[in-house]
Amino acid sequence: MAAASAFSSCSALRSGSVPLRRWRTLLLPAACSTSSPPRSAASDEATIISGTKLAEQVLKEVQRDVESWISFGNKRPHLTVILVGDNPASHTYVRNKIKAAAAVGISSEIILRPKDISQEELLDMTVKLNKDARVSGLLVQLPLPDHIDERTVCNTIAPEKDVDGFHIMNIGRLCLDQPSIIPATAAAVWEIIKRTGIQTLGKNVVVAGRSKHVGMPISMLLHTDGEHERPGGDATVTITHRHTPKEQLKIHTQLADIVIVAAGIPKLITTDMVKEGAAVIDVGINHIHDPLTGKTKLVGDVDFEEVKKKAGFITPVPGGVGPMTVAMLLKNTLIVAKKLIY
C-alpha cells in the first residue's frame, strides 16, 4: 500500500525522524509490532495468519478515515465496478467488494454488461466514467472475455481513479519506488507481512509466480529500498514461474526465509521445500473436486496441513490473502478519493 511499512514507520518513530509526506501518513497500522512468536506454543506448528482478522483491522481504519473525511465536508468516496459476463467467481468477488464497501461507508455501484460487449463500447463507457465527478474509484473486474484486450482496458482507466493499480502509470511509479496505487493483492501480501511482524530486511524471499498483477508487484515491494519515497522491504528476492523446474524451485525455496506462492498450482509447495521456521504466504486460488464430499472446494498452492508443521508463519486458503485483498482495495478507494497520489 501507499502507507509506509509498520517496520519503517516504527523505526522512524523511535528515531524521531518521521517523514512528513502526506500519502505516507494514511492509515498506518494501529500497532507497531516487529516481532511475533514463530510457532504456536501449544502445538509447535506454524502461527496461522488470519487474513480475516487482519482485514477487520484495516476495514475499521478505513471506516474511521472515511467518517473523518466526510466530517470535514468532503464528498463520500464512491467505487464503480464494471462487471462483464457471467463468470460465477467474478460475480462473487464483486459482491464481496460491494458488501465491504458498504460496511466502511464507501458508496458503490455495479455496472453489468453482457459477455459479448464490444471492446469499443467498454472503452467508451470507461472514458465516460473517468469524467464522472461522482466516481472516486473505478475498476473493470478481470478476467474479461477473450475478444477484449485487458491491457488496453486497464490503461483506459484514468490513473488517478485506478483502484486496481493496473494502469501502466501506476505500475511504472511502483517500479520506480514512487507513491502509487498498488495492486490490491500485492498490497495485501505486503500488509500481512508488516502487520504480522515478519522481518524482510536482508532476508531471502522466493516469489513463485510472475504475473503483472500479483507476482511482479509483490517482488517490487519486497526487494526495494526501505528508505526510498515508497519504502520497500530490503529483501533479496528470487522470482520463479511455470518454466522453473521443480527441483530448481526446491533449491530456491529451501533457502528462503519467506515463500510467497501465486502460481495457481495446488500443492506446488510441499513440506520438503520449506526451511524450518520460514514464513509461507499462499496467494493461490484453486477450485478442486473433493472426493470425500463430492463438492468443489477452494485450496491454495501450498500443502497447508503438512507445511504448517514446519513453517514459522503460514496463511490459510480460504481466510488468508483473500479477505485482505478486499480490504486493501477499499483502502485504495479512500486514497484516490483523497487524491493523495495524483
Side-chain angles (χ1 to χ4, degrees):
M1 267 303 303
S5 72
F7 181 77
S8 298
S9 299
C10 293
S11 299
L13 287 167
R14 284 191 285 267
S15 67
S17 57
V18 181
L20 296 178
R21 302 183 186 93
R22 61 173 180 164
W23 72 275
R24 290 183 62 182
T25 65
L26 179 70
L27 301 177
L28 290 175
C32 292
S33 171
T34 58
S35 62
S36 236
R39 284 176 177 270
S40 167
S43 64
D44 197 33
E45 292 185 344
T47 296
I48 298 175
I49 303 170
S50 172
T52 301
K53 290 183 179 179
L54 291 176
E56 288 174 357
Q57 293 177 12
V58 174
L59 291 172
K60 285 180 181 177
E61 293 163 9
V62 173
Q63 182 181 30
R64 178 201 66 205
D65 278 52
V66 167
E67 291 171 354
S68 175
W69 176 248
I70 295 171
S71 71
F72 283 101
N74 296 297
K75 182 181 66 175
R76 184 177 298 279
H78 180 86
L79 174 65
T80 296
V81 181
I82 300 175
L83 178 55
V84 177
D86 50 11
N87 183 307
S90 291
H91 279 255
T92 298
Y93 298 150
V94 169
R95 283 198 301 270
N96 290 340
K97 293 169 184 177
I98 298 302
K99 182 179 179 181
V104 300
I106 293 175
S107 63
S108 61
E109 66 179 328
I110 305 173
I111 299 177
L112 295 172
R113 288 296 180 268
K115 63 182 178 181
D116 59 353
I117 186 176
S118 70
Q119 178 167 304
E120 182 179 4
E121 184 180 351
L122 181 58
L123 295 178
D124 286 344
M125 182 187 312
T126 302
V127 170
K128 290 178 182 177
L129 291 168
N130 285 339
K131 298 176 182 178
D132 188 341
R134 181 180 56 92
V135 177
S136 308
L138 173 63
L139 71 84
V140 178
Q141 181 66 39
L142 303 180
L144 290 169
D146 292 340
H147 67 280
I148 298 176
D149 182 71
E150 291 184 355
R151 173 50 50 198
T152 299
V153 173
C154 290
N155 284 336
T156 302
I157 296 173
E160 67 273 15
K161 292 190 176 186
D162 172 33
V163 291
D164 262 340
F166 295 160
H167 190 282
I168 191 170
M169 186 176 293
N170 283 318
I171 292 295
R173 292 174 69 95
L174 171 66
C175 292
L176 292 174
D177 302 348
Q178 295 178 355
S180 64
I181 307 301
I182 298 173
T185 302
V189 172
W190 187 213
E191 197 75 6
I192 285 170
I193 289 172
K194 291 184 293 182
R195 289 179 184 250
T196 307
I198 297 169
Q199 298 296 305
T200 59
L201 178 68
K203 301 298 184 180
N204 289 322
V205 178
V206 168
V207 177
R210 59 181 177 181
S211 74
K212 299 303 180 284
H213 298 160
V214 181
M216 185 278 286
I218 287 173
S219 302
M220 295 303 304
L221 290 168
L222 287 171
H223 92 265
T224 49
D225 194 328
E227 298 301 320
H228 279 185
E229 191 176 0
R230 192 268 301 141
D234 282 314
T236 300
V237 179
T238 299
I239 304 173
T240 66
H241 46 78
R242 67 178 181 273
H243 295 303
T244 303
K246 187 67 177 285
E247 286 307 309
Q248 289 295 319
L249 173 61
K250 183 176 179 179
I251 291 171
H252 292 302
T253 57
Q254 286 178 333
L255 296 173
D257 303 294
I258 303 172
V259 179
I260 300 168
V261 201
I265 302 173
K267 294 189 177 182
L268 175 65
I269 302 299
T270 50
T271 188
D272 60 313
M273 301 172 70
V274 177
K275 183 169 73 172
E276 186 80 26
V280 181
I281 311 294
D282 192 349
V283 192
I285 299 176
N286 307 289
H287 294 88
I288 65 171
H289 177 72
D290 185 347
L292 295 177
T293 64
K295 298 180 180 179
T296 298
K297 68 176 183 178
L298 179 64
V299 300
D301 292 351
V302 176
D303 187 351
F304 179 81
E305 292 301 326
E306 293 301 317
V307 171
K308 75 177 183 180
K309 299 174 184 177
K310 192 174 183 181
F313 296 92
I314 191 168
T315 58
V317 177
V321 176
M324 277 294 284
T325 296
V326 174
M328 299 311 287
L329 174 72
L330 298 180
K331 193 170 178 179
N332 280 352
T333 303
L334 181 56
I335 287 172
V336 298
K338 297 177 77 170
K339 304 186 187 304
L340 295 179
I341 306 295
Y342 293 95

